[in-house]
Amino acid sequence: MAVRLLSKIKLLPELRGAAYVSSAAAPAELSDFEVQHKTPVIRKQKLIPVAQYGGRHAVTMLPGGGIGPECMGYVRDIFKYIGAPVDFELVDIDPNVDNDDDVQYAITTIKRNGVGLKGNIETKSEAAYVTSRNVALRNELDMYAYVLNCKSYPGVSTRHKDIDVVIIRQNTEGEYAMLEHESVRGVIESMKVVTASNSERVARFAFEFAKRNGRKKVTTVHKANIMKLSDGLFLETSRRLAEEYPEIEHNDMIIDNCCMQLVARPHQFDVMLMTNLYGSIVSNVVCGLLGGAGLLSGRNYGDHYAVFEPGTRNTGTAIAGKNIANPIAMINASVDMLEHLGHHFHADLIRRAVNKTINVDKVLTPDVGGTASSSEVVNNIMGNIGRC
Amino acid sequence: MAARIIRKIVPAGRAGTAQYSTGVRKVTLIPGHGIGPEITVAVQKIFEAAKVPIEWDEVDVTAVRGPDGKFGIPQRAIDSVNENKIGLKGPLMTPVGKGYRSLNLALRKEFDLYANVRPCKSLDGIKTLYDNVDVVTIRENTEGEYSGIEHEIVDGVVQSIKLITEEASKRVAQFAFQFARDNKRKKVTAVHKANIMRMSDGLFLRCCRDLATQYPDVKFEERYLDTVCLNMVQDPSKFDVLVMPNLYGDIMSDMCSGLVGGLGLTPSGNIGKNGALFESVHGTAPDIAGKDMANPTALLLSAIMMLRHLQLNEHADKVQNACYEVLREGKSLTGDLGGTGKCSEYTNAIISKLN
């Protein structure tokens, strides 16, 4: 009778999930999958790139407009020269078409490959309902953090020397929410959206980054004296997270004071954390201090995808096709991508060659004060590979 | 009441209505807090020595409790401002706490100030990493990102509204082009981010483009905010007059003043429908208040801007040349400029150069 009672209890839906009703030993029948996912394990959030056949990776390539296509050509040349284990999947986005099919296809390939390399995509249409393609890409792939590592090159003559700043910028919301409407004729409202979850994610990213890379200070840049609720939320979140990382110093600064300090004394900054628009302003200011838009590369990070691009997201239409564009930014982006995928040997080869070209040989394009053409710079880099 | 009706009927000219027959202009003077009183005294002394035909009407804007319980500007100050229509203001400190409305905001509403003008010019004798900066930033002062309309829609999601209206954009664009023409500047650059904020900055840009057609003698160009930032720190000589909405203006004007040496050397003027207010934009510096260590240059340059606004150009040139020469010599500079002089010594040096 006890057995009959027990069997009836087992049939009750609530108890069906329970593994043990009696004190008898548990059946060792869990599959490997269940062991991995149902037993409590502290899982580290790590971006795991998808490896394909023979240890080669597939990477989506979005040349965009302006100087994008020619720079991508140089990247391909260098990769072919060193035999980097990366296959590019090229997706062209037509700037004149109004529909989103190209962009959707690009997003699908990045989801499949996990990693992308892109130039700046033009959105020629000025209609209000057409979202900027770059913004659509970032939002769809939820790449919430943008990291710009700004380190001075000694070979480029600038007013300030030895700058070493990392800018971490919230990449998906803020002023770039692109929610606008005309409430009354002649009056337009544009919404800036700040959420607690996104602020927390990017703040945690910043502090983790600082911790992992041995950085000492994080500065939050804001305008909370005027925009009390929105920037106030961002600031409060970063202050709260700062308490969890007592070994890292945290302070905050208002954006106008920050810009003033950047042009006068940029060495007081280490890691800077901010919302979307201020990130755009500060990254352009710092890139200007370092010699221009042609040198630095930026990394878009999300939980699952990463896309690498030239730091200041300029299209450079004015200098397209003239062989004077600076290819260094795109080459640096490709090096970042190789490091992200774990191909440190190849990444190192290219990085050392680039450093030698800029600092020792001083073969530079006109925008940073040199006289060489883009192809001369690239040839010099390829000549330096393996020899330094 | 009759006076108010008459004031409305008789249009207030650009130079203001409070003018004696002897040509002396009456100006509201707001000393401010901290180092405010010292630097205003310095400016008054210099103007007296230069025989500038200005009569100062000093008012105190310390907040008083009004009949509704809220703190606001005293009525005497408001009346003075309405009558004279021109003001010079030192640094103000808004006390932190409930019930205190920002004094700067209240003044702005009173005068209906819509454009903030900040000329940033490299000064001979003040060495910064940037030479030959000569940029004027004109910023829309009433709306944009600083409209103060914010809500928490859902727990953890905050929205802040940026308001752009055609009327305000047209007003500031008109002022910018007129300023360029009056001061013989060659180019006006509209700074915007219309690739992202298509409708709002798009409207601002359209208003600027419309007004550009009415001023064919002034060159007009439009640039993205990031490009301007990038180029400004590399080569500031590329820009002449910049016109932009509120937030970008705030950031750009502070960045440009950083290029020439900081807020202690930058003049600032606010132009409104109902008058104009010139001010120094630095802080009250309570740690050096009363010690004769303050630097009056920012307030002096703002006062010179005010003279030009009043069309008193010869007096303005005289005082300006004296000030520039003292800075060039570099002998009596105050502590913040790297010298050891006192405020009174610096003032006397300028007065001696006036002769």
Side-chain angles (χ1 to χ4, degrees), chain A residues 125 127 159-160 176 178 180 185-186 188 190-192 194-196 223 228-230 256 260 280 284 288 291, chain B residues 129-130 146 150 156 158-160 162 164-166 193 196 198-200 226 230 233-234 247 250 254 258:
Chain A
S125 162
R159 291 183 175 92
H160 307 269
Y176 288 32
M178 300 196 74
E180 299 178 290
R185 204 194 158 300
I188 299 200
S190 164
M191 281 192 253
K192 160 180 168 164
V194 176
T195 56
K223 191 100 188 140
K228 300 188 167 70
L229 279 186
S230 32
D256 22 0
M260 217 175 353
S280 168
N284 275 280
Chain B
L129 291 167
Y130 296 88
Y146 293 4
E150 295 185 294
V158 177
Q159 96 187 8
S160 165
K162 159 178 166 165
I164 300 274
T165 56
E166 193 172 347
K193 240 184 137 39
I196 303 288
R198 285 150 183 269
M199 287 176 83
S200 33
D226 0 14
L230 195 64
V233 291
Q234 292 184 286
L247 177 71
D250 195 1
D254 276 4

Side-chain angles (χ1 to χ4, degrees), chain B residues 134-138 176 179-180 185-190 239-243:
Chain B
D134 191 3
V135 177
V136 178
T137 54
I138 298 181
F179 180 91
R185 312 292 296 211
K186 307 225 183 31
K187 184 168 78 162
V188 172
T189 309
F239 299 105
D240 193 356
V241 177
L242 301 168
V243 63

Side-chain angles (χ1 to χ4, degrees), chain B residues 11 27 32 39 47 79 91 104 128 163 167 209 234 270 285 309-310:
Chain B
V27 167
I39 53 178
F47 273 32
D79 290 338
N104 287 316
T128 57
L163 198 68
E167 187 195 327
R209 279 183 196 148
Q234 292 184 286
N270 298 290
H309 181 85
L310 294 170

Side-chain angles (χ1 to χ4, degrees), chain A residues 67-88:
Chain A
I67 55 172
E70 48 191 271
C71 291
M72 289 295 187
Y74 298 135
V75 168
R76 270 190 205 272
D77 290 340
I78 295 181
F79 273 35
K80 198 158 137 197
Y81 184 69
I82 63 171
V86 167
D87 294 316
F88 286 116

Side-chain angles (χ1 to χ4, degrees), chain A residues 299-318:
Chain A
R299 307 173 253 168
N300 297 281
Y301 283 124
D303 279 334
H304 308 288
Y305 314 110
V307 172
F308 303 90
E309 57 178 340
T312 45
R313 300 177 176 163
N314 294 63
T315 329
T317 348

Side-chain angles (χ1 to χ4, degrees), chain A residues 207-248:
Chain A
F207 282 102
E208 282 291 319
F209 182 92
K211 188 162 146 185
R212 257 185 284 129
N213 290 284
R215 295 274 173 170
K216 308 276 176 338
K217 186 164 85 162
V218 173
T219 307
T220 303
V221 179
H222 65 95
K223 191 100 188 140
N225 52 344
I226 307 278
M227 290 186 259
K228 300 188 167 70
L229 279 186
S230 32
D231 280 355
L233 175 63
F234 190 80
L235 181 60
E236 209 183 284
T237 313
S238 49
R239 278 194 183 143
R240 185 167 40 91
L241 255 78
E243 290 166 19
E244 293 180 25
Y245 296 85
E247 68 277 10
I248 299 178

